Amino acid sequence: MIVPKILKPSKQDILDAQDRIKPYIHHTPVLSSQIINEITGRKVFFKCENFQKAGAFKSRGACNAVLSLPESELLKGVATHSSGNHAQALARAAKIKGITAHIVMPENSSKVKIDGVIYYNGKITFCRPTLEDRELTLEEVIRRTGATEIHPYNNLRIIAGQATACLEAITDIESLDLVIAPVGGGGLLSGTALAVHYFGKSIKVIAAEPVNADDAYQSFKTATFVPSVAPDTIADGLRTSLGSITYPIICNHVEDIVTVTEEGIIAAMRLVWERMKIIIEPSSAVPLAALIENKISERYKNICLIISGGNVDLNDLPWIKF
Amino acid sequence: MIVPKILKPSKQDILDAQDRIKPYIHHTPVLSSQIINEITGRKVFFKCENFQKAGAFKSRGACNAVLSLPESELLKGVATHSSGNHAQALARAAKIKGITAHIVMPENSSKVKIDGVIYYNGKITFCRPTLEDRELTLEEVIRRTGATEIHPYNNLRIIAGQATACLEAITDIESLDLVIAPVGGGGLLSGTALAVHYFGKSIKVIAAEPVNADDAYQSFKTATFVPSVAPDTIADGLRTSLGSITYPIICNHVEDIVTVTEEGIIAAMRLVWERMKIIIEPSSAVPLAALIENKISERYKNICLIISGGNVDLNDLPWIKF
């Protein structure tokens, strides 16, 4: 039987990404909390990408993708559609190289996200809030400008960039036995799984996903790609479907995917805010929710959670009812 | 003329406090933010006591005071009246020594603060929410139990403990020219001023205070003690009057006191939450508000702000109107 070779960044690709982006990103800290260790009965290490440039791990992949482009492509700029952290991260990466980032955003995007893109000089084109219109508008922008599309996750250089967060974590933390990452489109998760595969010895990777947006869980368990349809979760970074590149990497290198409730996500988010005094976005609370909801085997004792980002609309907190 | 010698912790008292409390407190990190440097036009260093044990610098003084007690006094426990961070900090310090902390709290204290004291096994006696009833109730508790009163700020060992936050900061940050601390009862401020006096060479200390609770400002400028009467500020840690010990230290060792508006405090607090992704309480935002409201001379370029704590009621945020 011939096992098909899957497309994935190599060990060297991840090391190259780490060197390439080093001057432009933070080596983020690893924090822990005695109270959260008591609550979970494990040693829990938080890899704090909420302190990353532009507030999320997305700066790693975006920098790696932009800094890898040949001069000829750089001239015409880069483009993406995003209503979230990738938009700001790509605008920032483009600004570093002095090129234009064309960002297609739904017209109902929150002011804080629009302001974030404008802060980094991103050139916004608004579209109607449907996936179809986002894709059509992006196509039109690319046709008009010649910009290179930088997909938020289904891109080898994005994945190699996101892998560097976990690479830092497993280098900085001794004797880990598990890393838990949230999963949306799978860029962070596939990068995390590859970092552990190449550099992590006996460490395992488990993904955590909202049960209300459990397409990755379904795809993983049934071994058949299931798209995300009408996801209804507060974890706005995790509503997307896996990609053609991220899905096979996840199937090959992730130990398991578990799901958590909306209540669990909100409670875990609030616990981190109250006890650790750091601001994390709902997507970042999903791995801790998995621990608190007893979805993670007790054989794992030293666990790193990837805190994906800290971009939250402070006027709209999930525990405050209006 | 005989200059009266003021009562204050010595250099050695502060070094002893640092050694004594070391196993029980965090050496907190110093953070910075490129965006806040751009906004203020200075290099700003945040000494993050919001990450301190029990969420505030108060753990330093409380530990130093409790750990300094002779065995005979320890047996009968400690007591204080506090609706704030000192209550939790003292309960925690008492728990470390296995003794009882009697905490007199106003019956309208927020649930989160009551829960904090209970978490550390503090023994709460509720009273009516007037200063008179707080003091009478505390007297009664002390008469009944024989506990030693640990005043939240007008106490030499508390001041020596609070001084260790600034001592860490000026050791960790190179070439500072100014430290700004908030001022309420003056425990943190007088400790900060003494740490700089003994260990800071050419560094100056300026205090920042809400204009709506400007008793320290008035006392400093008129050289006559002015009590805090009906303070109306969101910065709940800064509503108290200076003490008989803290006031003279401040007069002798603080360069200046400046005042800030409520709007400035809220805006500075929100800026730190949004840009630095850390949770600080309103009192902690007062020094940054002073910078943003142009109350600090431009000759100061490298400035450390003491972030006093991060204990906030997440159900009641000042920028959310109900």
Side-chain angles (χ1 to χ4, degrees), chain A residues 66 90-101 119-122, chain B residues 38:
Chain A
V66 169
L90 190 64
R92 178 178 170 273
K95 193 181 174 191
I96 289 168
K97 291 297 286 184
I99 65 171
T100 303
Y119 177 80
Y120 294 116
N121 299 349
Chain B
E38 285 168 15

Side-chain angles (χ1 to χ4, degrees), chain B residues 38-39 72 76 86 94 98 100 116 155-156 166 169 171 201 203 223 237 250 307 317 322:
Chain B
E38 285 168 15
I39 290 170
S72 58
K76 294 181 172 173
H86 178 61
T100 304
N155 174 313
L156 289 168
C166 181
T171 308
K201 289 187 190 133
I203 304 172
I250 289 166
I307 299 298
L317 298 178
F322 294 91

Side-chain angles (χ1 to χ4, degrees), chain A residues 34 53 277 279 311 314, chain B residues 34 53 277 279 311 319:
Chain A
Q34 195 180 322
K53 289 283 184 185
K277 314 298 180 191
I279 290 180
N311 292 330
L314 294 176
Chain B
Q34 194 182 322
K53 289 285 185 185
K277 314 298 181 192
I279 290 179
N311 292 330
W319 48 78

Side-chain angles (χ1 to χ4, degrees), chain B residues 74-93:
Chain B
L74 276 176
L75 285 174
K76 294 181 172 173
V78 289
T80 198
H81 67 78
S82 167
S83 58
N85 291 332
H86 178 61
Q88 284 188 57
L90 189 64
R92 178 179 170 272

Side-chain angles (χ1 to χ4, degrees), chain B residues 206-317:
Chain B
I206 290 178
E209 191 178 38
V211 71
N212 285 4
D214 69 345
D215 58 292
Y217 173 84
Q218 296 292 345
S219 302
F220 187 82
K221 294 293 185 184
T222 63
T224 310
F225 175 76
V226 176
S228 178
V229 179
D232 180 24
T233 175
I234 189 178
D236 54 341
L238 309 183
R239 293 176 189 147
T240 41
S241 302
L242 296 176
S244 58
I245 301 176
T246 57
Y247 178 43
I249 297 173
I250 289 166
C251 288
N252 275 271
H253 296 289
V254 169
E255 183 75 5
D256 198 6
I257 300 186
V258 298
T259 60
V260 301
T261 65
E262 292 299 294
E263 296 70 30
I265 297 169
I266 295 169
M269 177 176 166
R270 183 167 183 156
L271 182 69
V272 168
W273 285 45
E274 283 188 337
R275 295 306 186 166
M276 298 183 67
K277 314 298 181 192
I278 63 173
I279 290 179
I280 67 170
E281 58 195 34
S283 303
S284 297
V286 170
L288 179 59
L291 266 177
I292 293 175
E293 291 191 338
N294 291 317
K295 300 298 176 72
I296 305 298
S297 163
E298 292 192 0
R299 74 170 172 273
Y300 300 112
K301 300 296 185 198
N302 297 296
I303 303 176
C304 174
L305 310 183
I306 309 282
I307 299 298
S308 48
N311 292 330
V312 176
D313 182 350
L314 294 177
N315 288 325
D316 184 17
L317 298 178

Side-chain angles (χ1 to χ4, degrees), chain A residues 179-289:
Chain A
V179 178
I180 312 179
V183 57
L188 178 66
L189 176 59
S190 52
T192 300
L194 290 175
V196 163
H197 172 64
Y198 295 130
F199 307 100
K201 290 187 188 129
S202 57
I203 305 171
K204 302 290 183 196
V205 173
I206 290 179
E209 191 177 38
V211 71
N212 286 5
D214 70 345
D215 56 293
Y217 173 85
Q218 297 291 346
S219 302
F220 186 82
K221 294 293 185 184
T222 64
T224 310
F225 175 77
V226 176
S228 177
V229 179
D232 180 23
T233 174
I234 190 179
D236 54 341
L238 310 183
R239 293 176 189 148
T240 41
S241 303
L242 295 176
S244 57
I245 301 176
T246 57
Y247 178 43
I249 297 173
I250 289 166
C251 288
N252 275 273
H253 297 288
V254 169
E255 183 75 6
D256 198 6
I257 300 185
V258 300
T259 60
V260 301
T261 66
E262 293 298 296
E263 295 71 28
I265 297 169
I266 295 170
M269 178 177 165
R270 184 167 181 154
L271 182 68
V272 169
W273 284 44
E274 283 188 338
R275 294 306 185 167
M276 298 183 67
K277 314 298 180 191
I278 63 173
I279 290 180
I280 67 170
E281 59 194 34
S283 304
S284 297
V286 170
L288 179 59

